[in-house]
Amino acid sequence: MRSDQIKKGTEKAPHRALLKSLGLQDDDMAKPLIGVANSFTNIVPGHIHLRIIGEAVKEGILSAGGTPFEFDTIAVCDGIAMGHDGMRYSLPSREIIADSVEIMLQAHSLDGLVMISNCDKVTPGMLMAAARVNIPSIMVTGGPMAAGRHRGKKISYSAMPEALGQVAAGKMSEEELLEMETEACPGCGSCSGMFTANTMACLTETLGMSLPYCGTSLATSAFKLRLARATGKQIIKLIRDDLKPSQILTKEAFENAIAVDMALGGSTNTTLHLPAIAKEAGLTLPLSTFDEIGRKVPHLCSMIPSGSYALEDLDAAGGVPAVMSELKSLLNLKLPTVSGKTVGENIKDAVVLDREVIHSLTNPVHKEGGIAILTGNLAPKGSVIKTAGVSPKMQK
């Protein structure tokens, strides 16, 4: 095991003494040593429950014969950071997260990694570290919050900036605005629409780096806790099989992820994050790849903020496996995943349970993907637009 360099041999007695100061016994040190990278913080709604997720992961690791070591990294809430100098710190946080996870893994010679993440820059940052260090790794994303309800209508965080405009135009009272801010985000989890956090959670599952149904399962669900425990168990299997991110994060896996991104009408930030993860895996993912796939893959899911459906609706409709099942003729199904099965095996029994939420290839929301790459005199190297959120009148 990789951790033998800190625990085996007479000359490692000082190292073992320090490990024993943690309460470990000799048989604990003989097991695989697993890093559990957790971005828990009580200022970010998507992360406030990750301590509970972390406990479930560690229980899974212990039950499967591993020794877990949990450590934290930072997390920025883009919503709270919006509209002031705090937004300057959001994207740089991704690099700090990647570096911090790498440091902990390398400094302590850990055998495997479980990543517990949720929000915009944290999920890609952790995946970058996993690709860079290339030891057996698996992620459990914390899950979306439930949608809010305001006067009988489903709303999410995205309703708040729109409501501000309504107030400014004299079309909504400040009293109703106060009602909405109390109701828009009803509990823990990432914001309930297809924003960057949930897009990256869905694409992590598509890439094969989290277990099936992880991307859409709600933060508050018992299923999420069961999945977290299963994730802890699975890292031990990944170590025994020596299945590393380099075998999963292939060019074909990224192409699958882009295809699902197009079908979901995901965040344009994926054009920042997927290439960064790919670079750590030794791959190049140009904007032209997004353009090529976006022209072939239709937009199938009309999700908040551009549409009317929340992540809870996508989950109830069959989640990412159902979307991938609908797209299977456009995907590479033979790729390995952290489940120990191929992509095709993971989605073999997936069924679309609600055609209003997940449209068919023959009846898409839009004929092309939800993201388009535009080039011209204003952006000769390319620009990105979320066509799913643009009026048809503007698309010319």
Side-chain angles (χ1 to χ4, degrees):
M1 285 186 283
R2 203 171 93 110
S3 60
D4 287 349
Q5 59 189 323
I6 65 165
K7 66 187 186 185
K8 269 202 170 182
T10 305
E11 71 279 7
K12 301 302 180 185
H15 302 69
R16 291 194 297 273
L18 290 169
L19 291 170
K20 286 183 176 180
S21 76
L22 305 175
L24 298 185
Q25 297 177 301
D26 290 331
D27 63 337
D28 297 316
M29 286 186 277
K31 300 171 184 176
L33 305 187
I34 311 301
V36 179
N38 196 334
S39 53
F40 161 79
T41 170
N42 67 354
I43 195 172
V44 182
H47 296 241
I48 192 170
H49 66 302
L50 295 189
R51 185 177 283 168
I52 299 169
I53 299 287
E55 290 304 314
V57 166
K58 289 185 289 184
E59 288 170 12
I61 292 170
L62 288 167
S63 68
T67 299
F69 294 100
E70 188 173 11
F71 58 89
D72 289 321
T73 187
I74 61 172
V76 170
C77 176
D78 276 25
I80 297 174
M82 193 76 69
H84 57 94
D85 281 349
M87 186 45 63
R88 299 176 185 270
Y89 294 86
S90 179
L91 186 55
S93 75
R94 186 187 71 183
E95 317 309 312
I96 294 170
I97 291 160
D99 291 346
S100 67
V101 174
E102 176 193 5
I103 286 168
M104 291 299 288
L105 295 177
Q106 299 293 62
H108 303 103
S109 297
L110 299 174
D111 298 304
L113 169 66
V114 178
M115 301 164 278
I116 304 172
S117 171
N118 218 16
C119 283
D120 298 37
K121 311 307 179 293
V122 187
T123 298
M126 287 191 179
L127 288 173
M128 288 165 65
R132 188 185 300 170
V133 178
N134 198 34
I135 60 174
S137 303
I138 186 171
M139 176 171 278
V140 54
T141 46
M145 67 174 66
R149 294 290 190 281
H150 174 66
R151 299 186 179 183
K153 182 183 177 183
K154 187 180 296 180
I155 61 169
S156 79
Y157 164 77
S158 64
M160 294 311 303
E162 296 169 9
L164 283 178
Q166 294 286 306
V167 172
K171 296 180 180 180
M172 180 184 289
S173 68
E174 291 190 11
E175 289 75 18
E176 186 176 353
L177 180 68
L178 178 60
E179 281 181 36
M180 287 188 69
E181 76 175 62
T182 306
E183 297 163 347
C185 302
C188 67
S190 48
C191 296
S192 58
M194 193 56 73
F195 307 104
T196 306
N198 290 324
T199 303
M200 287 306 304
C202 290
L203 300 193
T204 299
E205 182 181 333
T206 305
L207 284 167
M209 288 299 293
S210 64
L211 294 176
Y213 301 97
C214 186
T216 59
S217 49
L218 289 181
T220 53
S221 66
F223 178 82
K224 182 65 79 176
L225 289 178
R226 293 196 295 272
L227 201 66
R229 193 170 283 104
T231 299
K233 293 177 181 178
Q234 189 65 17
I235 187 61
I236 305 303
K237 292 181 182 178
L238 295 177
I239 290 170
R240 288 171 183 160
D241 295 340
D242 198 29
L243 184 59
K244 298 175 180 176
S246 59
Q247 296 161 267
I248 295 172
L249 296 174
T250 61
K251 180 174 179 282
E252 294 78 11
F254 283 102
E255 289 171 349
N256 280 356
I258 295 171
V260 171
D261 191 14
M262 295 299 171
L264 292 174
S267 167
T268 54
N269 282 338
T270 55
T271 61
L272 286 174
H273 298 319
L274 289 179
I277 300 164
K279 183 179 180 181
E280 297 294 351
L283 303 169
T284 301
L285 199 62
L287 282 179
S288 58
T289 304
F290 288 82
D291 188 49
E292 291 163 10
I293 295 174
R295 293 178 187 276
K296 298 175 186 175
V297 179
H299 177 212
L300 302 182
C301 304
S302 185
M303 306 295 296
I304 293 170
S306 304
S308 55
Y309 295 105
L311 261 289
E312 62 188 45
D313 301 313
L314 181 60
D315 190 53
V320 172
V323 176
M324 294 180 74
S325 179
E326 187 62 34
L327 294 174
K328 61 186 176 185
S329 62
L330 300 168
L331 302 177
N332 188 319
L333 303 179
K334 297 180 180 179
L335 306 179
T337 73
V338 293
S339 72
K341 300 177 181 178
T342 65
V343 170
E345 289 168 337
N346 279 346
I347 67 172
K348 178 170 61 76
D349 299 321
V351 177
V352 176
L353 300 173
D354 189 337
R355 282 296 180 189
E356 293 297 316
V357 179
I358 304 173
H359 286 229
S360 66
L361 286 175
T362 55
N363 181 36
V365 179
H366 298 107
K367 291 181 179 179
E368 293 188 356
I371 293 175
I373 307 300
L374 308 179
T375 56
N377 62 317
L378 293 178
K381 293 183 179 180
S383 61
V384 185
I385 187 169
K386 188 167 182 173
T387 54
V390 176
S391 166
K393 295 179 182 178
M394 296 176 63
Q395 294 184 25
K396 58 182 179 180

